[in-house]
């Protein structure tokens, strides 16, 4: 099997790699692949095509093998791949540039060159070799360490580029040079303890207390654990265990705990924990006013004949409450919703309101997130925890599998357009393309619609719903137009 892989560098070329036998049943389109690039570099790519026949234009001897597929599931789905291709085509940039923007840096594999001595050679019996001073210095360093990275060597060997020295020793088969791969993303973990399965029944725990009655520090730990977890009542409770840090917080003996672990009375284990804590719902119902309910019905009706609807509602008209009702309708059928906002400042406010109503199924995605947080959001969408994403423009690249509604709030805002680096895409326009790939609907909301959206609505390409009344009959501010030039003249004349 052969794979064509897209790499996040500014080229459109796909690279062909051989799929090793052990990966044939594991690899699929959209999977992240770790691949060798050039003689030493290790790179991350995304599988775009899989073929069972060898490409005619490439000699089999020249095709390198994929090193590994690090994820259980593909991290790019077909609609995402189509979106990458559309952005590259529409904004005249390379496919690699688009992938570089879309792929969180936490998914990109790092590698560093490691130097290690040949295990078949005794490093202390090398008198027969004629080494120069730098080679001798490198051998002395490796005599003290099993291995050393190329970067560390720069400082220790005393020259800026030890390339010749290293390759001279490689030719003499004294050392090896290889790439050590490190994953940037690591999940957060929690150290926990629990009773061994041999001591879970009430009688077993009673016998254990009797056995340890003269060992007070161990008994104190055991008593604390039983009172907190009650393993004799619930096997499931014991399986979940207790945070190891609780023992330290209670100032119980670390040595006693280590003895319990050593004697296999208790066991230590690691639990992967989310960087995003569980959020409870705070609100169960949002009651719309008559005018809001009327506009909600108009939007639903407009979606029957149009895939995109422009919702022109003045500031303070209660658009967010209508959005929440639309989201609720989609979530009830097991679908996903993307709520796009132009700026981070708006995201915080909106997230609080959305989370109060929907709780733990709401995720956030924006540029201020760390690489690890971005990867975790990506994974939480794939595993089904997040059904609603509130985010800025880069959220369109996330791996939605059942997206049915995209809300683009403040659709006129220039922040939806990326201007700093290529690709210079407009997230609002690409959201409409993404919706087509998912057969989803798009609601463009604004108090001051963009000219192009308003033009499309006026010409019946988009549906149009307008709301010109403020929420709870709040009055609009009085606006007075003042000619500042005339005012200044009058001020001068009047002294």
């Amino acid at each position: 099997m052969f794979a064509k892989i897209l790499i996040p560098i500014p080229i459109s070329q796909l690279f062909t790699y051989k799929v090793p036998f052990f990966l044939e049943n594991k690899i699929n389109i959209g999977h992240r692949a770790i691949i060798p690039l050039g003689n030493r570099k290790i790179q991350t790519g995304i599988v775009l095509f899989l073929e069972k026949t060898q490409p005619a234009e490439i000699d089999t001897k020249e095709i390198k093998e994929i090193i590994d597929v690090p994820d259980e599931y593909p991290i790019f789905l077909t609609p995402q791949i189509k979106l990458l291709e559309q952005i590259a085509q529409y904004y005249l940039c390379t496919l690699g540039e688009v992938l570089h923007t879309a792929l969180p840096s936490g998914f990109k594999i790092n590698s560093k060159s490691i130097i290690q001595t040949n295990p078949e050679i005794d490093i202390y019996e090398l008198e027969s070799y004629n080494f120069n001073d730098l080679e001798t210095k490198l051998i002395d360093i490796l005599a003290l360490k099993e291995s050393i990275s190329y970067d560390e060597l720069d400082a220790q060997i005393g020259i800026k580029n030890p390339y010749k020295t290293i390759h001279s020793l490689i030719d003499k088969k004294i050392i090896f040079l290889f790439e050590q791969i490190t994953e940037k993303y690591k999940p957060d973990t929690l150290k926990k303890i629990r009773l061994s399965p041999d001591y879970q029944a009430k009688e077993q725990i009673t016998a254990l207390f009797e056995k340890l009655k003269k060992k007070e520090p161990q008994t104190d730990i055991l008593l604390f654990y039983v009172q907190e977890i009650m393993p004799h009542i619930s096997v499931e409770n014991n399986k979940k265990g207790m945070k190891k840090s609780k023992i330290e917080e209670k100032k119980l003996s670390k040595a006693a705990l280590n003895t319990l672990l050593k004697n296999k009375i208790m066991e230590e284990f690691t639990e992967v924990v989310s960087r995003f804590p569980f959020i409870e719902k705070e609100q169960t119902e949002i009651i719309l006013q008559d005018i809001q309910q009327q506009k909600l019905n108009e939007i639903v009706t407009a979606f029957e004949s149009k895939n995109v609807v422009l919702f022109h509602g003045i500031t303070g008209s209660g658009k967010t409450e209508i959005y929440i009702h639309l989201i609720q309708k989609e979530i009830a059928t097991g679908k996903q919703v993307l709520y796009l906002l132009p700026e981070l400042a708006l995201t915080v406010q909106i997230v609080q309101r959305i989370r109060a109503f929907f709780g733990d199924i709401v995720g956030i995605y924006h540029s201020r997130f760390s690489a690890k947080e971005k990867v975790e959001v990506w994974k939480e969408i794939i595993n089904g925890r997040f059904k609603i994403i509130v985010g800025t423009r880069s959220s369109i690249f996330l791996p939605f599998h059942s997206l049915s509604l995209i809300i683009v709030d403040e659709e006129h805002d220039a922040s939806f357009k990326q201007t700093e680096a290529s690709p210079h895409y407009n997230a609002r326009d690409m959201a409409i393309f993404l919706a087509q790939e998912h057969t989803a609907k798009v609601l463009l909301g604004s108090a001051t619609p963009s000219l192009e959206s308003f033009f499309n609505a006026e010409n019946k390409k988009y549906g149009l719903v307008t709301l010109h009344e403020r929420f709870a009959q709040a009055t609009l501010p009085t606006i007075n137009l003042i000619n500042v030039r005339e005012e200044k003249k009058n001020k001068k004349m009047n002294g």
Side-chain angles (χ1 to χ4, degrees):
M1 190 181 284
F2 297 87
K4 288 194 173 181
I5 294 175
L6 176 64
I7 296 173
I9 55 178
I11 58 173
S12 285
Q13 178 189 347
L14 300 182
F15 292 82
T16 301
Y17 285 85
K18 205 180 292 181
V19 179
F21 179 75
F22 73 94
L23 289 178
E24 283 192 0
N25 292 326
K26 186 181 177 183
I27 197 167
N28 214 325
I29 290 170
H31 256 119
R32 184 168 55 124
I34 302 171
I35 50 175
L37 190 65
N39 292 328
R40 280 176 43 210
K41 193 169 177 60
I42 303 294
Q43 183 61 271
T44 307
I46 301 297
V47 178
L48 292 196
F49 298 99
L50 286 169
E51 300 169 344
K52 291 195 174 179
T53 55
Q54 177 193 332
E57 69 279 7
I58 306 174
D59 186 349
T60 311
K61 293 176 183 176
E62 295 177 2
I63 302 176
K64 296 178 180 179
E65 281 194 347
I66 291 171
I67 296 169
D68 197 13
V69 173
D71 306 304
E72 188 178 353
Y73 302 105
I75 64 166
F76 272 81
L77 307 179
T78 301
Q80 284 170 283
I81 294 170
K82 295 280 187 188
L83 179 65
L84 301 184
E85 292 169 344
Q86 172 67 10
I87 290 175
Q89 181 185 345
Y90 191 79
Y91 293 99
L92 304 176
C93 59
T94 65
L95 202 51
E97 281 177 290
V98 186
L99 180 61
H100 178 73
T101 297
L103 189 67
S105 61
F107 275 129
K108 294 167 188 172
I109 297 295
N110 277 348
S111 74
K112 60 180 178 180
S113 301
I114 301 294
I115 300 154
Q116 184 177 311
T117 53
N118 185 342
E120 295 179 1
I121 290 178
D122 187 343
I123 203 164
Y124 296 104
E125 296 180 3
L126 297 174
E127 291 86 359
S128 58
Y129 289 88
N130 184 22
F131 296 124
N132 63 35
D133 291 344
L134 288 173
E135 288 173 342
T136 304
K137 198 169 186 179
L138 176 52
I139 291 166
D140 289 343
I141 290 167
L142 288 170
L144 300 172
K145 295 185 172 188
E146 285 186 13
S147 63
I148 190 168
S149 75
Y150 189 94
D151 296 336
E152 289 176 298
L153 203 59
D154 280 1
Q156 294 195 30
I157 203 170
I159 57 173
K160 286 185 178 179
N161 188 359
Y163 182 84
K164 284 185 180 178
T165 304
I166 290 166
H167 281 270
S168 171
L169 290 174
I170 289 171
D171 291 340
K172 293 173 183 175
K173 295 186 169 51
I174 305 297
I175 63 171
F176 294 134
L177 183 66
F178 63 93
E179 289 298 299
Q180 186 179 74
I181 300 167
T182 55
E183 180 91 72
K184 278 188 179 181
Y185 169 76
K186 287 182 182 176
D188 269 0
T189 56
L190 192 64
K191 285 187 177 179
K192 301 183 87 173
I193 56 169
R194 61 189 169 204
L195 268 177
S196 165
D198 296 334
Y199 300 101
Q200 281 183 224
K202 189 175 180 180
E203 301 77 22
Q204 293 169 328
I205 294 170
T206 304
L208 187 57
F209 273 113
E210 184 65 29
K211 180 182 173 182
L212 298 174
K213 67 181 179 181
K214 292 182 181 179
K215 298 172 182 177
E216 191 176 328
Q218 292 181 45
T219 306
D220 289 344
I221 291 172
L222 188 61
L223 184 61
F224 175 63
Y225 181 84
V226 170
Q227 287 173 337
E228 287 281 311
I229 304 300
M230 294 190 285
H232 54 293
I233 293 174
S234 168
V235 173
E236 195 58 37
N237 279 0
N238 187 62
K239 194 175 177 182
K240 291 177 183 175
M242 171 196 285
K243 291 179 190 176
K244 191 179 178 183
S245 59
K246 278 196 168 187
I247 301 295
E248 295 171 11
E249 289 167 13
K250 276 285 178 182
K251 297 184 179 176
L252 297 169
S253 170
K254 287 183 185 178
L257 176 61
N258 289 334
T259 303
L260 289 168
L261 294 169
K262 185 180 176 182
N263 294 334
K264 296 184 178 178
I265 293 169
M266 301 199 84
E267 56 187 29
E268 186 177 336
F269 65 102
T270 302
E271 184 179 280
V272 175
V273 293
S274 175
R275 286 180 168 84
F276 305 105
F278 182 83
I279 305 290
E280 287 278 4
K281 292 182 184 181
E282 297 173 9
Q283 193 173 358
T284 56
E285 190 179 8
I286 290 178
I287 299 171
L288 298 181
Q289 293 187 332
D290 291 345
I291 186 66
Q292 288 176 307
Q293 185 63 52
Q294 180 189 326
K295 297 305 171 182
L296 173 63
N297 295 341
E298 286 180 25
I299 291 168
V300 172
T301 303
F303 275 144
E304 291 174 5
S305 58
K306 303 289 182 184
N307 291 325
V308 183
V309 173
L310 174 62
F311 183 24
H312 181 192
I314 62 170
T315 304
S317 58
K319 293 192 293 293
T320 305
E321 286 79 8
I322 295 173
Y323 296 157
I324 288 172
H325 274 262
L326 286 167
I327 293 169
Q328 188 178 25
K329 180 174 175 286
E330 300 303 323
I331 298 305
T333 61
K335 301 294 186 180
Q336 295 171 309
V337 175
L338 172 59
Y339 190 145
L340 279 176
L341 289 159
E343 293 178 27
L344 190 58
L346 289 171
T347 307
V348 177
Q349 271 184 325
I350 297 295
V351 164
Q352 287 174 346
R353 297 183 71 182
I354 300 289
R355 273 187 169 165
F357 193 79
F358 293 102
D360 197 50
I361 64 171
V362 180
I364 318 165
Y365 195 82
H366 52 69
S367 59
R368 296 279 180 85
F369 268 6
S370 68
K372 290 177 181 178
E373 287 172 322
K374 285 182 178 180
V375 169
E376 195 137 322
V377 172
W378 207 281
K379 287 176 178 285
E380 295 281 30
I381 292 172
I382 290 172
N383 69 30
R385 175 184 170 185
F386 292 148
K387 303 267 191 305
I388 305 162
I389 289 292
V390 181
T392 50
R393 61 175 179 250
S394 57
S395 305
I396 63 169
F397 296 114
L398 289 167
F400 298 103
H401 53 82
S402 56
L403 189 63
S404 64
L405 176 65
I406 302 176
I407 296 169
V408 186
D409 202 9
E410 307 296 337
E411 64 86 26
H412 63 276
D413 200 296
S415 299
F416 281 122
K417 177 82 182 240
Q418 175 158 294
T419 55
E420 301 86 18
S422 181
H424 301 294
Y425 70 96
N426 188 315
R428 177 200 62 199
D429 297 344
M430 291 303 103
I432 293 171
F433 175 82
L434 181 66
Q436 290 171 359
E437 293 301 310
H438 281 277
T439 61
K441 303 294 184 182
V442 180
L443 184 66
L444 305 176
S446 178
T448 54
S450 62
L451 287 173
E452 55 267 39
S453 294
F454 199 73
F455 177 83
N456 284 329
E458 287 284 295
N459 284 276
K460 311 298 182 188
K461 185 178 179 182
Y462 297 168
L464 177 63
V465 176
T466 59
L467 177 56
H468 295 312
E469 292 181 26
R470 279 196 149 188
F471 182 74
Q473 297 181 332
T475 55
L476 288 165
T478 303
I479 298 171
N480 294 314
L481 295 176
I482 299 170
N483 188 327
V484 179
R485 191 178 295 169
E486 288 295 323
E487 287 292 316
K488 283 181 179 177
K489 279 183 185 178
N490 292 336
K491 194 173 181 180
K492 284 181 181 179
M493 288 173 64
N494 296 328

